[in-house]
Amino acid sequence: MSLQTLLTKAVKQAVKTVYNADLETVEFQATRKEFAGDITVVVFPMLRVVKGNPVQIGEAIGDFLVQNVEEVKAFNVVKGFLNVEIVDAYYLNVFNILKADKNFGVLQPKTKDHAVMVEYSSPNTNKPLHLGHIRNNLLGYSVAEIIKASGKTVYKTQIINDRGIHICKSMLAWQRYGKGETPKSTGLKGDKLVGNYYVKFDQEYKKEIAVLIAEGKTEDEAKKEAPILLEAQQMLQKWEAGDKKVVALWESMNQWVYKGFDVTYKNLGVDFDKLYYESQTYLLGKEFVNEGLRTNVFYKKEDGSVWCDLTEDGLDEKIVLRSDGTAVYMTQDIGTAIQRAKDFPNVGGMVYAVGNEQDYHFQVLFLILKKLGFDWAKNLFHLSYGMVDLPSGKMKSREGTVVDADDLIADMTSTAQDISEELGKLDGYSDEEKSELYKTIGLGALKYYILKVDPKKRILFDPKESIDF
């Protein structure tokens, strides 16, 4: 029996008992967030058959419900609205019933014509996962599970951004300052170790900028001419040219990061069906850039860079290949989308869970794919969500001002343990059972804290408040 059906019967009985009147219908609405309650009974329509003050009528019905309906634990009346609080046992019973129903959520048979691909996480291999990635993963994974419950086949995927100038920055900093240290020699997770060198690069880069400015360069000139940046750019060119030493270092450091990511994903409770790597898909993207040049979708400037003119579509010009021949993010995303369509021809649509800072990027990507002649491009969707800020401002990985995902998960687990021990409700549980329960409660609290916010809204995240249960 649904909650509304249960309460409709009870409210009608209350009115019959207290006022000897018959209600034809009972009107409900969602309880406003500023008031306690799970569901609200609207009293005003009852005045047609019950004469009196709406507040007094609401209180009389509320008293009847508390005394006679075991599912109702409390109530409050605000003007003509009776806000009803339901006991936790009711919801637990409903969940147990649904859990026992093997067909729950399967609204239609899964067929090859109903496949959807959902992309989320999509990290860079120059830093560990952080709070922003947690929101991304939880949103993407949840949407994938919801689509799956509707009866569609779902493929959960990510594109691992494992190449580019930002990756070379970590590599170069490790070459200069790492003294050969490894995750094994330091005891650090590989993603954290590599992330430390991304921060180190930024520190040294700023020092060199300051020196150049002191020598008379403008800030813009100093940023472009800093030796450490020029060396990182040269490293990227060597990587794309297949330099054996650079590629070997890249492979080694990326493996450190992948092992670190796997630990975080397992702790967070998310998984993937298929992984894509930018280092592979960008090549396909470059192929289609050349194809687009032949069909006039793209054009080449005097410096050799390749662009797409989208001004007639209300957008701007977009670079798809640098003058030195190296790829940009757009090149890779073009290649990734095309490769996925080749790998999964039964996919009817793709969902990209990516922050709203990339809204314009996806407008451009989807339009370019349509111009390249791919009919499936009309079924691409950007699940745009608000960024996560700290009280001190926007998180910046290169400056080390981020909330580390592993640390946050550990903090939530630790807080669950502290509160559980303080309440003393786990007496009789084994240490192993307690440990597992702490993780379950802590992770559940974290997921609720993140997912309760409308995806379109930014989150101001205070680490201390987030673990206040």
Side-chain angles (χ1 to χ4, degrees):
M1 184 184 298
S2 71
L3 184 59
Q4 288 195 13
T5 300
L6 172 72
L7 289 179
T8 296
K9 182 178 180 181
V11 169
K12 287 182 176 180
Q13 183 61 46
V15 172
K16 181 66 174 179
T17 301
V18 178
Y19 297 102
N20 195 29
D22 295 311
L23 284 179
E24 291 187 6
T25 60
V26 178
E27 185 175 326
F28 297 95
Q29 69 179 35
T31 303
R32 294 176 60 177
K33 61 182 180 180
E34 60 264 36
F35 302 121
D38 299 291
I39 189 170
T40 296
V41 178
V42 184
V43 178
F44 293 112
M46 301 179 189
L47 299 181
R48 290 191 293 267
V49 296
V50 179
K51 304 302 180 184
N53 183 293
V55 174
Q56 293 176 346
I57 294 172
E59 289 178 347
I61 295 173
D63 284 333
F64 180 92
L65 296 179
V66 169
Q67 294 174 21
N68 296 279
V69 182
E70 63 180 10
E71 289 83 0
V72 176
K73 68 176 180 180
F75 74 92
N76 64 86
V77 179
V78 180
K79 297 182 178 178
F81 301 92
L82 169 61
N83 303 316
V84 181
E85 294 184 58
I86 305 300
V87 296
D88 294 341
Y90 172 82
Y91 297 109
L92 184 59
N93 183 54
V94 171
F95 285 135
N96 286 333
I97 292 173
L98 295 178
K99 185 178 180 181
D101 183 359
K102 295 181 179 180
N103 294 318
F104 172 66
V106 183
L107 304 183
Q108 55 181 305
K110 294 184 177 181
T111 71
K112 64 179 182 179
D113 298 323
H114 288 99
V116 177
M117 181 170 283
V118 181
E119 175 192 293
Y120 54 95
S121 194
S122 305
N124 298 328
T125 57
N126 63 326
K127 55 191 176 184
L129 302 177
H130 54 62
L131 174 59
H133 291 110
I134 286 182
R135 189 178 198 191
N136 180 298
N137 275 268
L138 295 181
L139 284 171
Y141 183 83
S142 298
V143 166
E145 291 299 308
I146 290 170
I147 296 173
K148 185 188 297 183
S150 75
K152 295 181 175 62
T153 296
V154 177
Y155 301 108
K156 293 174 285 187
T157 185
Q158 65 170 318
I159 173 70
I160 299 174
N161 302 301
D162 62 342
R163 61 162 292 280
I165 189 65
H166 51 294
I167 308 300
C168 290
K169 289 177 179 179
S170 294
M171 292 164 56
L172 179 58
W174 183 87
Q175 267 191 340
R176 283 193 178 190
Y177 311 106
K179 299 179 181 179
E181 68 178 14
T182 65
K184 185 176 181 179
S185 68
T186 61
L188 290 174
K189 279 178 76 222
D191 52 338
K192 296 185 188 298
L193 177 63
V194 174
N196 289 342
Y197 285 101
Y198 185 56
V199 174
K200 179 65 175 176
F201 179 94
D202 188 64
Q203 294 170 344
E204 298 302 319
Y205 178 48
K206 287 178 178 177
K207 290 179 184 177
E208 292 186 1
I209 291 173
V211 171
L212 291 173
I213 291 175
E215 293 175 353
K217 299 284 186 180
T218 65
E219 184 176 352
D220 285 343
E221 290 173 336
K223 287 180 177 180
K224 294 177 182 178
E225 298 175 17
I228 194 171
L229 177 62
L230 297 178
E231 191 173 346
Q233 291 171 342
Q234 292 170 0
M235 179 178 279
L236 177 59
Q237 291 173 359
K238 287 181 179 179
W239 181 88
E240 292 207 5
D243 182 281
K244 290 184 178 179
K245 289 185 178 180
V246 172
V247 171
L249 176 61
W250 168 79
E251 289 177 341
S252 179
M253 293 182 70
N254 274 350
Q255 286 302 318
W256 297 346
V257 175
Y258 297 148
K259 290 180 180 179
F261 285 169
D262 287 344
V263 172
T264 307
Y265 290 139
K266 183 178 180 181
N267 289 336
L268 194 58
V270 301
D271 57 20
F272 303 92
D273 299 308
K274 177 71 174 177
L275 305 182
Y276 288 89
Y277 299 87
E278 182 183 353
S279 58
Q280 299 168 2
T281 61
Y282 89 99
L283 294 172
L284 183 60
K286 292 177 78 169
E287 286 182 23
F288 276 88
V289 168
N290 291 327
E291 177 66 25
L293 278 171
R294 288 193 291 270
T295 57
N296 296 318
V297 173
F298 306 122
Y299 73 95
K300 186 175 290 188
K301 289 190 175 182
E302 291 182 1
D303 65 356
S305 59
V306 180
W307 296 70
C308 187
D309 187 356
L310 302 172
T311 53
E312 290 186 0
D313 300 282
L315 301 178
D316 205 343
E317 294 184 331
K318 181 65 180 179
I319 187 171
V320 292
L321 213 60
R322 297 188 185 96
S323 58
D324 61 5
T326 56
V328 296
Y329 270 123
M330 187 60 68
T331 323
Q332 164 250 302
D333 281 350
I334 292 170
T336 303
I338 295 170
Q339 187 62 57
R340 287 171 175 165
K342 289 182 176 182
D343 292 345
F344 297 91
N346 63 320
V347 167
M350 300 185 200
V351 178
Y352 294 80
V354 182
N356 59 16
E357 289 186 339
Q358 298 297 324
D359 283 354
Y360 182 75
H361 174 87
F362 282 99
Q363 278 185 276
V364 172
L365 173 64
F366 298 166
L367 184 54
I368 287 177
L369 289 168
K370 288 178 183 177
K371 288 181 177 292
L372 286 171
F374 295 107
D375 184 62
W376 44 259
K378 66 178 182 291
N379 296 322
L380 303 180
F381 178 76
H382 176 205
L383 174 58
S384 175
Y385 64 88
M387 305 307 289
V388 183
D389 299 316
L390 297 173
S392 56
K394 182 179 177 181
M395 293 189 291
K396 297 179 181 179
S397 295
R398 65 179 180 274
E399 296 180 6
T401 58
V402 298
V403 177
D404 183 272
D406 296 311
D407 293 342
L408 182 56
I409 292 171
D411 284 345
M412 297 297 282
T413 300
S414 177
T415 301
Q417 178 176 352
D418 292 342
I419 293 177
S420 297
E421 290 177 349
E422 183 179 327
L423 295 175
K425 292 187 175 182
L426 298 182
D427 295 339
Y429 283 73
S430 68
D431 290 341
E432 184 177 349
E433 290 172 330
K434 288 180 180 179
S435 178
E436 190 63 30
L437 191 56
Y438 300 148
K439 292 178 183 177
T440 300
I441 295 173
L443 191 59
L446 175 61
K447 290 180 177 181
Y448 175 74
Y449 187 92
I450 296 295
L451 291 174
K452 71 176 182 178
V453 180
D454 186 321
K456 294 180 180 179
K457 295 181 179 179
R458 295 180 77 104
I459 293 179
L460 180 62
F461 188 89
D462 187 330
K464 292 182 179 178
E465 288 185 6
S466 71
I467 55 176
D468 181 357
F469 282 43

